[in-house]
Amino acid sequence: MQELINELVEKANLSPEAAAKAVETTINFVKSKLPPFLSDKVEDLIAGKFDLGSMFGGFGGGSAAGDSPLDKLNDMFGDKK
């Protein structure tokens, strides 16, 4: 989270205190919009400690063609080469 705070200090010219409060407010807002099984992962995701793709089986990029949920959806509804 400190990385995000540092970005806000540098790029938005916020004080460290204001940046920390902005990050806290944003995290709480995002958590309130997610189901419980995801809301407790928000801080880990921001800190780079949690791989959201692994939770969804590599969503958006499986190890081989046809592995990911997006590939499966494409097979069902998408391009029928």
Side-chain angles (χ1 to χ4, degrees):
M1 237 178 326
Q2 189 60 45
E3 184 179 354
L4 180 55
I5 292 169
N6 293 342
E7 288 277 326
L8 288 169
V9 168
E10 181 183 325
K11 294 182 179 178
N13 296 319
L14 296 177
S15 70
E17 296 80 16
K21 187 65 175 175
V23 168
E24 178 186 347
T25 302
T26 302
I27 288 172
N28 289 334
F29 176 80
V30 170
K31 284 179 167 183
S32 76
K33 301 298 180 185
L34 294 171
F37 77 96
L38 286 177
S39 66
D40 64 340
K41 303 294 183 203
V42 171
E43 290 180 46
D44 289 342
L45 182 65
I46 291 171
K49 297 178 186 175
F50 180 76
D51 179 14
L52 189 61
S54 67
M55 177 178 246
F56 294 106
F59 192 77
S63 59
D67 280 353
S68 78
L70 284 181
D71 290 333
K72 291 175 183 167
L73 284 173
N74 191 43
D75 289 345
M76 290 170 38
F77 300 108
D79 189 14
K80 301 285 185 191
K81 296 177 186 172

